[in-house]
Amino acid sequence: NAGVTQTPKFQVLKTGQSMTLQCAQDMNHNSMYWYRQDPGMGLRLIYYSASEGTTDKGEVPNGYNVSRLNKREFSLRLESAAPSQTSVYFCASSEALLEQGRNTEAFFGQGTRLTVV
Amino acid sequence: AQSVTQLGSHVSVSEGALVLLRCNYSSSVPPYLFWYVQYPNQGLQLLLKYTSAATLVKGINGFEAEFKKSETSFHLTKPSAHMSDAAEYFCAVSTGFQKLVFGTGTRLLVSP
């Protein structure tokens, strides 16, 4: 049982280049998330998908786009990378508890360390 | 809107001493609360969670946390620190389907 799998693990981009970070989960979770982690700032939500076919902006969406390809996969795209996007990116998923009206805990991937030069 | 505040970006303890990491939340509805741990160069791992079943929650590695509604707190404790507890700890809150909101994290340093 792999859980949440992110690819790639490391990436170096030049300013202006584009790339897509891939994420897949095998736990049949409804909700998926993309966070970025920067020193002293904790995890900040970029985008999330509450269910297949829906996506919504989080706290820091500028410069990013997402696609919920199917229930398993949620990708994050940087169209024109900037040095400010140098960060560690985490994908996560969680199960929707319909009767309780909320999600349960999130399960995280191992992260993608992105450097934009 | 829901939010989480973690007091202290760094906490230092000696091996064998009590660990106390503070977390206060803001939520307009009863929250679900979580503590995660992150070891260097790894993802986040769930330590424990509060989902309204019991106010004192026990987690992995000897950690526990108590939900105090009157204080809007969910502090993480461990009676005796071990060197292997050195990591970054994150408190998080969830009140709906949309998302989890994380605190800025507390780095725990354990000295021999």
Side-chain angles (χ1 to χ4, degrees):
Chain A
N1 192 352
V4 179
T5 303
Q6 291 183 234
T7 55
K9 288 185 170 51
F10 300 94
Q11 184 71 50
V12 179
L13 289 179
K14 294 182 179 179
T15 297
Q17 286 185 318
S18 63
M19 80 161 294
T20 300
L21 280 64
Q22 306 287 352
C23 175
Q25 52 93 8
D26 61 4
M27 295 173 283
N28 201 37
H29 286 166
N30 287 314
S31 298
M32 297 187 72
Y33 314 84
W34 277 105
Y35 289 91
R36 61 178 288 174
Q37 184 179 26
D38 302 289
M41 304 191 76
L43 279 82
R44 293 182 293 169
L45 184 66
I46 304 172
Y47 271 93
Y48 63 97
S49 172
S51 61
E52 185 179 357
T54 68
T55 61
D56 286 284
K57 295 179 180 179
E59 183 183 356
V60 289
N62 291 344
Y64 305 96
N65 286 301
V66 290
S67 296
R68 184 73 183 267
L69 305 171
N70 48 54
K71 192 170 186 179
R72 291 187 64 249
E73 299 173 287
F74 188 40
S75 63
L76 178 72
R77 183 162 178 84
L78 286 70
E79 292 291 352
S80 179
S84 61
Q85 295 178 305
T86 293
S87 187
V88 181
Y89 291 86
F90 287 101
C91 178
S93 70
S94 64
E95 179 181 356
L97 303 175
L98 298 178
E99 291 184 356
Q100 290 84 352
R102 67 185 74 217
N103 282 327
T104 185
E105 70 270 24
F107 293 81
F108 284 80
Q110 291 297 298
T112 297
R113 190 173 296 274
L114 175 67
T115 302
V116 183
V117 298
Chain B
Q2 58 198 35
S3 66
V4 168
T5 301
Q6 290 185 243
L7 295 176
S9 59
H10 292 80
V11 170
S12 295
V13 300
S14 298
E15 192 171 20
L18 171 71
V19 175
L20 171 61
L21 304 182
R22 299 178 186 274
C23 172
N24 288 88
Y25 70 90
S26 173
S27 174
S28 57
V29 298
Y32 278 9
L33 294 158
F34 310 90
W35 274 101
Y36 286 84
V37 60
Q38 184 182 33
Y39 298 103
N41 300 315
Q42 294 190 24
L44 276 72
Q45 176 184 358
L46 182 71
L47 268 180
L48 50 80
K49 62 181 178 182
Y50 167 76
T51 58
S52 77
T55 56
L56 182 62
V57 181
K58 295 187 183 299
I60 62 173
N61 301 337
F63 284 93
E64 63 182 36
E66 186 173 8
F67 173 71
K68 292 187 177 181
K69 184 178 179 180
S70 61
E71 299 177 8
T72 61
S73 69
F74 190 57
H75 301 331
L76 182 70
T77 60
K78 182 174 180 178
S80 178
H82 192 273
M83 296 295 290
S84 61
D85 294 326
E88 190 155 21
Y89 293 80
F90 293 92
C91 183
V93 61
S94 168
T95 57
F97 284 122
Q98 287 76 22
K99 57 191 176 185
L100 296 178
V101 175
F102 284 83
T104 53
T106 298
R107 185 169 298 279
L108 177 65
L109 307 170
V110 183
S111 57

